[in-house]
Amino acid sequence: MTHYDYIIVGAGSAGCVLANRLGADGHTRILVLEAGGSDKATIVRMPSALSLPMNTKRFNWGFVTEPEPHLDGRVMNLPRGKGLGGSSSINGMCYVRGNPMDYELWADHGAAGWNWANVLPYFRRMENVAGPAELRGHSGPLSVTQGVQTNPLYQAFVDAGVEAGYARSANMNDLQHEGFGPMEMTVGKGERCSASVAYLRPAIARGNVKVITHAHTTRVLMEGTRAVGVEYRRKGKLTQVHAAEVIICAGPIMSPVVLKRSGIGPGAELQQAGINVVHDLPGVGENLMDHLELYVQQACTQPVSLYPHMSLLGKAMIGLRWLLRRDGLGATNHFESGAHIRSRAGISYPDIQFHFLPLSISYDGKSLARGHGFQAHVGTKRSKSRGWVRLNPTDPEAPPRVRFNYMSHADDWTEMRACVRLTREIFAQPAFSTYRGAELAPGADCNSDAQIDQFIRDKVESAYHPCGTCRMGTDTQAVVDPTTMRVHGTKGLRVVDSSIMPQATAGDLNAPTLMLAERASDLILGRSLPAADPAPLPVDAGWKSRQRSGEISLDLSRTAADTGAIFEQERALAAATGSHM
């Protein structure tokens, strides 16, 4: 078959969802082109092995950034999933919907219709959550679970946050996002529940979805401004396939690259790369954003951390138990408690996230502290720095040039310093008195703004949440229509993945990306679920004057008009202090 109803470029999180939902009738003919290979491997399936696929050429494209000018020229790692499931097959499996106000902010930034009441039904449709919860789904394809929290350090972290004056949240994906509490993960029956497992495999089993792996899309075939198919390279051979619709789901790095290689993007850049300009669309590849994080690490005076399990024998025992029973330490991502807080007064909803880990180790697993320890991965979630993804002008087929311009906005420095100081305050609470040893990082001699800033330059890492490069909206810099997912100025061409987010959400991006694709599939089919009622929009009543509160207002009557007023007040406060929303 060389002609399909839909060709989906990329079998990552969004592509897997679309293949499933668009082909639900069993008759719609869908072709999915994936540049990577199979996702079937034990190191992908086993949750605690998460650092292994991330560090293999088989499952990670291994992109890196241009030297980052505000981080002393550091070249930063940029892992991207390679294979079925995309980055959902190599990520940390943290399931975080984000704050309801994130989606009000999307609508405020031009993504009409993407407010909380409209997206909540899609979160519920995709979730399979165990146990009672007011705003959750219980019959969706995506398994979402909490860890068993047998390690006492998880509860110590939550208790310390409450002692520091923050709210406790029973479930940060339900009524109350702000505060300290248990985290959730995309794990089911002890195994990683990637988008491939949840969506793509059932879609393939229906028989109307075909997947071609190791198929590198070179360009979208255009007749004028209408997309009519795709050209891809596999085993050195170029092949063209045709479809009524082409949907690009190649992710925030490669989706703009595919558009540009097809002649859609900033005209001057395309001409410099020797590409015929089909449609001059200046926003393609711009507006790149990410989450950055630091590790604040503490020695542990009690032998309760995960350190003994990091030996070869310890890892072997974890693996053996997991292979036999699918439980124990092999069945968790180890991020079982966390928090969302505000960096300062005048911020209406959380802009800092914590992932707590009862071990002192780097996220990629390459650097382990000697001895017992614990750490918080902490970073800001609404950075104002923006970067870009651009073609290599001398070889457009080569990996793209990527620069995030990390820490290029003054507010980011204010917020990252707050990350360090607020984490230290939490670790200093009585709940940790039994366990607290010396601070391992940044260290006792790192206190002044200048010292903390240098620590940030040296040690800050990406949380691997790039987004925004094909932003939804209707202004001249927008790329995608928020009501249809069509690329502005074209026909038969859409983009659906985290590249269309107008703003990163306050948390890990995989859950919002899956939700985005769920709702986009309905919009493509010309329908939508009814808006949720109620759709609570909790904002601390005293947000303008205080940074933390032990009690968060759960106002079930707040409307989108109310949140618009909050954003206006936040902008006014930011302008008065010389910062910007």
Side-chain angles (χ1 to χ4, degrees):
M1 187 181 298
T2 59
H3 195 281
Y4 296 84
D5 295 303
Y6 297 101
I7 295 175
I8 297 172
V9 177
S13 295
C16 290
V17 173
L18 291 177
N20 186 299
R21 297 303 191 188
L22 294 178
D25 63 3
H27 303 292
T28 302
R29 298 166 302 173
I30 298 174
L31 174 65
V32 180
L33 299 175
E34 168 55 42
S38 169
D39 61 324
K40 293 183 179 179
T42 299
I43 60 172
V44 171
R45 293 164 57 202
M46 182 177 176
S48 70
L50 61 94
S51 68
L52 298 180
M54 188 181 294
N55 288 293
T56 66
K57 292 182 179 180
R58 174 181 170 184
F59 295 113
N60 179 11
W61 287 107
F63 293 137
V64 295
T65 70
E66 302 263 299
E68 290 289 341
H70 300 275
L71 297 179
D72 291 344
R74 286 174 60 195
V75 172
M76 308 284 280
N77 287 327
L78 178 54
R80 291 285 86 200
K82 181 181 183 182
L84 303 181
S87 293
S88 75
S89 293
I90 69 169
N91 67 0
M93 291 158 283
C94 296
Y95 184 84
V96 183
R97 284 173 161 187
N99 192 287
M101 294 289 283
D102 284 323
Y103 304 100
E104 299 301 304
L105 193 61
W106 280 17
D108 179 82
H109 285 6
W114 289 87
N115 53 292
W116 177 237
N118 286 341
V119 305
L120 176 56
Y122 291 96
F123 277 117
R124 300 181 74 170
R125 184 169 84 174
M126 75 191 199
E127 293 172 343
N128 184 355
V129 177
E134 293 188 49
L135 301 177
R136 309 304 302 280
H138 303 285
S139 59
L142 187 74
S143 296
V144 179
T145 56
Q146 288 187 4
V148 295
Q149 296 198 34
T150 56
N151 192 299
L153 291 170
Y154 290 123
Q155 190 59 49
F157 179 71
V158 175
D159 291 343
V162 174
E163 289 171 345
Y166 298 99
R168 189 187 300 271
S169 175
N171 188 318
M172 292 179 284
N173 286 316
D174 196 33
L175 281 171
Q176 184 181 311
H177 172 261
E178 184 167 353
F180 283 67
M183 289 191 68
E184 293 183 322
M185 53 187 169
T186 49
V187 172
K189 297 180 180 179
E191 296 192 14
R192 177 193 292 269
C193 187
S194 68
S196 174
V197 170
Y199 289 94
L200 187 59
R201 292 181 191 175
I204 294 171
R206 282 199 301 258
N208 62 322
V209 174
K210 180 179 179 180
V211 178
I212 301 177
T213 56
H214 305 292
H216 297 256
T217 297
T218 56
R219 63 189 175 103
V220 178
L221 302 174
M222 305 293 295
E223 290 183 357
T225 56
R226 176 179 288 278
V228 297
V230 167
E231 179 184 83
Y232 67 91
R233 179 181 289 108
R234 189 173 191 269
K235 297 181 179 180
K237 178 184 176 183
L238 282 176
T239 300
Q240 293 188 351
V241 286
H242 295 83
E245 293 263 2
V246 174
I247 309 174
I248 301 176
C249 304
I253 306 302
M254 292 307 295
S255 283
V257 170
V258 172
L259 286 178
K260 289 179 179 183
R261 289 174 180 169
S262 308
I264 301 165
E269 180 186 347
L270 302 184
Q271 289 172 342
Q272 185 181 10
I275 295 173
N276 222 15
V277 179
V278 173
H279 179 48
D280 188 346
L281 197 56
V284 176
E286 303 302 306
N287 194 49
L288 175 63
M289 65 192 90
D290 192 13
H291 292 153
L292 283 176
E293 64 183 15
L294 295 161
Y295 309 147
V296 177
Q297 299 175 322
Q298 200 90 25
C300 186
T301 59
Q302 301 294 320
V304 295
S305 80
L306 298 176
Y307 180 71
H309 302 285
M310 295 299 103
S311 66
L312 288 176
L313 177 60
K315 290 179 179 179
M317 295 301 292
I318 290 172
L320 179 61
R321 176 171 175 174
W322 182 83
L323 287 169
L324 293 174
R325 298 170 50 179
R326 294 298 192 271
D327 65 2
L329 293 176
T332 175
N333 62 359
H334 302 294
F335 295 114
E336 297 187 10
S337 64
H340 303 270
I341 67 172
R342 288 168 281 130
S343 61
R344 58 192 184 274
I347 303 294
S348 61
Y349 72 97
D351 60 339
I352 289 178
Q353 181 182 17
F354 294 93
H355 300 75
F356 180 78
L357 186 65
L359 182 71
S360 291
I361 192 172
S362 62
Y363 187 58
D364 61 10
K366 293 181 178 180
S367 175
L368 175 66
R370 294 183 178 180
H372 285 279
F374 53 88
Q375 68 188 37
H377 298 212
V378 57
T380 59
K381 298 297 135 177
R382 292 202 301 284
S383 167
K384 299 177 181 67
S385 299
R386 295 291 182 271
W388 42 257
V389 175
R390 293 176 185 163
L391 297 176
N392 182 327
T394 60
D395 183 5
E397 296 300 315
R401 300 173 57 214
V402 181
R403 179 179 293 170
F404 286 91
N405 286 320
Y406 288 128
M407 305 302 292
S408 57
H409 195 287
D411 284 3
D412 293 353
W413 292 97
T414 300
E415 291 159 8
M416 290 302 290
R417 290 182 207 119
C419 286
V420 173
R421 291 185 168 123
L422 293 173
T423 306
R424 283 173 160 171
E425 181 188 9
I426 292 160
F427 282 173
Q429 296 302 313
F432 276 115
S433 59
T434 306
Y435 310 108
R436 185 173 53 249
E439 183 177 284
L440 303 176
D445 58 348
C446 182
N447 292 295
S448 68
D449 282 0
Q451 290 168 328
I452 292 174
D453 287 354
Q454 192 57 53
F455 174 73
I456 293 169
R457 291 187 193 95
D458 293 341
K459 299 296 184 181
V460 75
E461 298 287 348
S462 170
Y464 311 143
H465 300 153
C467 62
T469 49
C470 297
R471 177 173 62 84
M472 285 190 284
T474 56
D475 59 274
T476 56
Q477 286 294 312
V479 177
V480 169
D481 185 303
T483 62
T484 64
M485 308 296 101
R486 288 196 177 95
V487 176
H488 289 306
T490 70
K491 297 177 182 178
L493 180 62
R494 310 183 201 243
V495 178
V496 179
D497 55 37
S498 66
S499 71
I500 73 173
M501 294 180 179
Q503 172 66 52
T505 55
D508 304 73
L509 289 195
N510 191 241
T513 300
L514 294 169
M515 175 282 297
L516 188 155
E518 281 273 13
R519 185 167 189 265
S521 69
D522 269 6
L523 293 177
I524 291 169
L525 293 171
R527 64 194 187 201
S528 63
L529 294 175
D533 184 18
L537 294 166
V539 173
D540 176 28
W543 67 270
K544 285 184 281 188
S545 59
R546 64 188 180 204
Q547 179 261 332
R548 69 192 75 179
S549 174
E551 295 291 334
I552 304 301
S553 168
L554 292 176
D555 185 351
L556 302 186
S557 64
R558 187 176 285 114
T559 67
D562 297 323
T563 61
I566 287 173
F567 293 143
E568 288 302 318
Q569 293 172 55
E570 187 171 309
R571 291 186 185 99
L573 286 168
T577 58
S579 63
H580 302 279
M581 182 177 169

